[in-house]
Amino acid sequence: MDKKRKFIDDYHEMLDILNSLPKNGKKPTLLLHACCGPCATYPLFFLHKYFDVTIAYANSNIYPLSEYEKRKATILEMLEKFNEEYHTSIKIIFFPYAYDSYMVDLIPYKDDKEGGPRCKLCYEKRMDEVFKYANEHHFDYFTTVMSVSRYKPTKVLNEIGEKLDEKYSHTQYLLSDFKRGGGIQIDKEMTRRYKLYEQNYCGCEYSLINREKFSH
């Protein structure tokens, strides 16, 4: 697979890649990292027209376990409703939950502000875990839904993706900016329509502490 690309901007680069895909025949495979059900709605709606999508739920950052299980149940609920509405049979892979070992690398950054180096490392750890799986199982493409969130920096996510793209030889990183093209609005509408649980903090223990600090 030719992994050389001419860069324009993240959104238009994604559209260029999609427009270059074969219009007939078998769709290329894509492993889509999803952090939660609500954030997966629009990216899945957008991508399933171009790819044979499989969702990867790999989020050992989520604390506590009860919250992890709640978000896991929500993404299953979302997928069931999506498959029924769009007559698809998209599947989901659940990666092992290992909060304690996952957080070892993040503890040195525990006092960082939200959105700082700790968060960037967290994005990279999850994206690397799923990208590695995609490469080992010969998926054509990998990307993450996280660029749909107004709280996640698209530029940083795509820089991580491009760095990992050099690490893995088979699977290609799909640049994304799911905020664009009405993504945020459609995401919210689908979340309301599916009546999905919406969490009020990113996921890890530190983001929970930060949310509780500013909610009092």
Side-chain angles (χ1 to χ4, degrees), residues 60-61 96-107 125 129:
S60 286
N61 61 308
Y97 177 71
Y99 185 79
D100 291 340
S101 59
Y102 182 91
M103 292 301 292
V104 167
D105 293 334
L106 303 183
I107 289 172
K125 282 171 66 69
E129 182 180 16

Side-chain angles (χ1 to χ4, degrees), residues 90-155:
I90 294 163
K91 295 179 173 58
I92 187 166
I93 299 167
F94 291 102
F95 284 58
Y97 177 71
Y99 185 79
D100 291 340
S101 59
Y102 182 91
M103 292 301 292
V104 167
D105 293 334
L106 303 183
I107 289 172
Y109 304 94
K110 64 183 180 65
D111 296 322
D112 282 4
K113 293 181 179 179
E114 290 295 297
R118 184 187 71 240
C119 295
K120 181 179 179 181
L121 179 58
C122 185
Y123 307 151
E124 184 167 1
K125 282 171 66 69
R126 285 179 286 158
M127 290 172 68
D128 193 6
E129 182 180 16
V130 180
F131 208 147
K132 181 175 184 289
Y133 182 96
N135 193 69
E136 290 174 347
H137 292 79
H138 301 285
F139 282 83
D140 297 313
Y141 288 87
F142 159 79
T143 197
T144 177
V145 306
M146 290 191 287
S147 71
V148 79
S149 170
R150 64 178 75 248
Y151 302 108
K152 301 290 192 300
T154 297
K155 182 174 183 293

